[in-house]
Amino acid sequence: MKLLAIGAAALVSFAASSAAAQTQGPTNPGPAIPGVCVFFNQLLLAQSTVGQSVQTRMEQLALEVQGELQPYGTSIQSEIQRLQTGGAAVTDADRQAVQARIQEAQQLQETRENELRYTLSEQRRLISETVEPILVAVYQERGCGILLDRESVFILNPAMDVTETVIQRLNAQLPSLSFNRLPVPAQAAQ
C-alpha cells in the first residue's frame, strides 16, 4: 500500500520550494510598470498562517489514514505468508478470502485518498473565498490595471508584487482553519 504521508509531505515540500524559487530574481529587475500587479497564490498558501495550518492538519490526517490502513497491510501480509507456506492444504476459498481482503483494503485506501483530496480542496476553497475580497481591495488600492499570476511571469520588479500585502491581511483575517477529513459528496465521487 502507498504511504500517503510521504506523498503529502513531498507535495508540501515541492510547493514550498517551488514558491521560494520563483520569488528570487535579478538584483536589477527593471522599472516597475504602473498599473501592472502580480500575485503568487502558491506563495500565499505556503507562507500564510492559514495555509501553514492547513498543511499541518493535512499531514496529520494523512498520518491518521496511514495508521488506519497499516493493520490491513500487516494482516494481508500474514495471510499471504500463511498461504505460501500452506502448500497443498491451501484451498481456493483461502485464496479468494485473501483476494477479497486485498480488494477491501484497496477500496478503503482509494476512499481515504479521495477524502483527503476533497478535504484539501475544500480548505483551499475557503481560503480563496477569504482571499478574493482582500485581493480586490489591494488591486484597487495599488491602482492595478491588470493582475498577473506569478506562475505566468518569469521575472518581475518586486514593487509590482502584491502577494506579501495579501498574505499580511489574510493572516489578520483568517489565521487558521480547523477541520477533519471530509467525506466526498455523492455527486463529486462519480
Side-chain angles (χ1 to χ4, degrees):
M1 290 190 201
K2 295 183 238 173
L3 297 176
L4 295 173
I6 292 173
L11 181 62
V12 166
S13 297
F14 174 75
S17 64
S18 173
Q22 285 199 3
T23 60
Q24 299 172 7
T27 55
N28 181 10
I33 302 170
V36 176
C37 300
V38 178
F39 173 69
F40 192 16
N41 194 56
Q42 292 289 51
L43 187 64
L44 176 123
L45 292 173
Q47 291 186 356
S48 66
T49 56
V50 70
Q52 291 173 357
S53 78
V54 167
Q55 241 175 265
T56 299
R57 183 63 181 140
M58 288 304 299
E59 290 169 2
Q60 292 168 348
L61 292 175
L63 286 174
E64 287 175 15
V65 167
Q66 183 181 5
E68 180 182 2
L69 295 173
Q70 183 62 37
Y72 280 89
T74 303
S75 168
I76 290 169
Q77 206 54 28
S78 296
E79 286 296 312
I80 290 172
Q81 288 175 351
R82 185 184 65 76
L83 291 177
Q84 289 173 341
T85 59
V90 176
T91 66
D92 283 342
D94 292 333
R95 287 185 197 91
Q96 289 173 354
V98 170
Q99 186 60 38
R101 185 92 167 125
I102 290 170
Q103 289 174 346
E104 178 184 334
Q106 288 172 336
Q107 180 62 44
L108 180 61
Q109 179 178 350
E110 183 179 323
T111 298
R112 294 300 182 253
E113 287 174 351
N114 288 337
E115 289 171 349
L116 289 174
R117 272 193 290 279
Y118 179 72
T119 300
L120 179 59
S121 72
E122 281 299 296
Q123 302 320 303
R124 286 185 174 166
R125 183 186 59 75
L126 293 171
I127 292 170
S128 291
E129 285 178 0
T130 305
V131 166
E132 188 174 328
I134 294 170
L135 197 52
V136 168
V138 171
Y139 176 91
Q140 292 172 339
E141 290 166 15
R142 287 276 194 100
C144 302
I146 186 170
L147 181 64
L148 301 173
D149 180 352
R150 176 62 176 100
E151 290 190 32
S152 301
V153 177
F154 187 68
I155 297 174
L156 71 133
N157 183 311
M160 297 164 41
D161 192 339
V162 299
T163 308
E164 191 57 41
T165 303
V166 175
I167 290 172
Q168 290 170 0
R169 291 183 187 180
L170 178 63
N171 287 347
Q173 191 169 338
L174 184 67
S176 68
L177 287 170
S178 297
F179 59 93
N180 290 311
R181 191 178 67 232
L182 300 172
V184 179
Q187 73 264 18
Q190 297 171 357

